[in-house]
Amino acid sequence: FLTIPAFALEKETAKRQFLGSENQPGWLEEADRGTIFIKRLSEMDHDVQTIITQLLSNHSIDGRLQFPRLNSTNEVEVNNRFIFSMVHDLNIALQDELTNRETLDEMKRRGGKIVHIPPLRERKEDILAIADHLAATSRDAHQSAVSGISESARNALVNYSWPGNIEELKHVIETIIARQPEITTISAEHLPDTIINPEKKGEYMYRFKLKDDAKFLGRMMTTSLKLQTSTKTLRLETVNISEIRRIEDAAFAPPKFKYYLVRLKDGSQVTGAILDKKLGIETSFDPAYEIDPQNIASMYIA
């Protein structure tokens, strides 16, 4: 079982790493009769995704793959299973061109299946069990004295929205134990302030894509958003929003604007028209940038 972080792959070396060279086997041979798990596909360079697509196109449905190592004419046959993961919603990853559609289509042609795992904020009942497991694993790795997590810390972990999902939870637990191996209990005072005080405005970084394809990262400085649903007008606190997505009606050519889908950090969602005319955003290029919310194509926690 070979785990490869997609964001670490570079187009100049990826082909050699997978195929190997004349006297050096690559990852495909290393994982022969096993699994290659590529983490965070949507963070992979598009040129590297193209290399993956080419590999998959030569991959039989039963897993066999024939290829020569680089600088060699002798063919090697291996049998691999590929698993890919991403933290982004698949539809958003495709819409924002984070993932090549050709790569996904090739996966499907090879008999691949898509499994959606709800984000951690939508399965709060799992947070403490995962946190306990991560604490035990990290304790053994760092020879720590930690024996548990206090009640106050457990409440804070459950009430936090975890925009980075399990990877973020893992980072928090491991960082505490690595830096303070002498503590016996992880308490609220050891947790980052963003978890203890999740109500802070502008705390989260969002990835924006506008209708004109402009893309940027920013923090929302406007504190609330007015939404008109089919039955009532809502005022949503922006700190509670995890995603906004423009929905188009494909029945028209070109597609016609239908409504905005707004997902909240507690896992609920609401649809309707955004009534506000301005949304204040702090960005790297302008600390007081303003956009018309009607120009949003998508927006989600980065």
Side-chain angles (χ1 to χ4, degrees):
F1 191 92
L2 182 62
T3 301
I4 301 170
F7 52 83
L9 292 171
E10 299 178 352
K11 64 179 181 179
E12 291 80 10
T13 57
K15 187 170 288 189
R16 182 178 297 274
Q17 289 171 313
F18 277 102
L19 300 179
S21 56
E22 187 175 5
N23 300 311
Q24 181 68 42
W27 286 333
L28 293 173
E29 290 178 73
E30 183 181 339
D32 184 24
R33 305 185 67 79
T35 299
I36 296 177
F37 174 38
I38 299 180
K39 294 177 62 177
R40 304 170 82 100
L41 176 66
S42 55
E43 297 171 38
M44 178 187 285
D45 182 276
H46 276 238
D47 289 329
V48 179
Q49 289 189 40
T50 299
I51 293 173
I52 297 295
T53 305
Q54 292 170 348
L55 288 176
L56 292 175
S57 67
N58 294 317
H59 198 248
S60 66
I61 292 178
D62 64 1
R64 288 180 295 110
L65 180 64
Q66 290 183 327
F67 63 93
R69 294 177 185 172
L70 294 181
N71 304 318
S72 173
T73 57
N74 298 322
E75 286 222 329
V76 178
E77 180 172 298
V78 296
N79 194 304
N80 306 116
R81 173 174 58 185
F82 283 88
I83 298 177
F84 302 87
S85 73
M86 67 170 67
V87 296
H88 297 99
D89 177 275
L90 177 59
N91 291 326
I92 291 178
L94 291 171
Q95 175 182 303
D96 288 1
E97 299 177 350
L98 302 174
T99 300
N100 288 343
R101 188 171 294 276
E102 293 79 9
T103 306
L104 182 66
D105 290 342
E106 199 60 59
M107 292 178 194
K108 291 179 177 178
R109 276 195 289 271
R110 302 292 143 188
K113 293 178 173 60
I114 297 172
V115 178
H116 172 68
I117 300 176
L120 203 52
R121 63 179 174 272
E122 293 180 13
R123 45 193 177 102
K124 290 182 177 292
E125 67 278 5
D126 292 343
I127 291 175
L128 295 181
I130 295 172
D132 287 336
H133 171 73
L134 292 172
T137 303
S138 190
R139 176 192 63 210
D140 296 340
H142 294 281
Q143 299 181 330
S144 166
V146 165
S147 60
I149 302 173
S150 74
E151 193 63 29
S152 61
R154 296 171 83 83
N155 289 335
L157 293 178
V158 170
N159 291 328
Y160 182 58
S161 63
W162 298 106
N165 290 303
I166 292 178
E167 291 285 343
E168 183 181 5
L169 176 57
K170 181 180 180 182
H171 175 74
V172 167
I173 298 295
E174 287 185 347
T175 298
I176 292 171
I177 292 177
R179 291 179 177 175
Q180 303 175 79
E182 74 285 353
I183 64 175
T184 57
T185 302
I186 296 176
S187 61
E189 67 186 39
H190 299 126
L191 297 175
D193 189 51
T194 52
I195 294 177
I196 300 300
N197 300 300
E199 72 281 356
K200 283 190 174 182
K201 309 301 181 192
E203 193 66 62
Y204 301 99
M205 187 70 75
Y206 290 81
R207 188 182 299 276
F208 291 83
K209 180 181 178 182
L210 305 185
K211 289 192 299 180
D212 62 2
D213 275 347
K215 299 174 185 176
F216 56 89
L217 292 174
R219 301 181 192 278
M220 284 197 291
M221 306 312 294
T222 300
T223 58
S224 64
L225 203 62
K226 196 173 183 180
L227 194 76
Q228 179 64 56
T229 73
S230 58
T231 58
K232 57 186 174 182
T233 302
L234 300 176
R235 176 61 71 176
L236 303 176
E237 296 293 316
T238 53
V239 71
N240 294 324
I241 296 174
S242 64
E243 177 189 340
I244 297 176
R245 185 147 54 96
R246 184 184 181 93
I247 303 298
E248 307 281 355
D249 191 340
F252 291 83
K256 181 180 178 183
F257 173 67
K258 201 169 185 180
Y259 53 74
Y260 277 102
L261 170 68
V262 181
R263 287 197 174 98
L264 304 179
K265 291 173 183 172
D266 64 4
S268 62
Q269 62 184 44
V270 62
T271 60
I274 297 175
L275 301 181
D276 299 86
K277 301 302 181 185
K278 291 182 180 179
L279 182 63
I281 305 165
E282 178 189 341
T283 71
S284 60
F285 54 84
D286 189 341
Y289 190 53
E290 289 187 341
I291 64 170
D292 182 344
Q294 308 303 318
N295 290 327
I296 294 175
S298 66
M299 183 204 86
Y300 52 89
I301 295 176

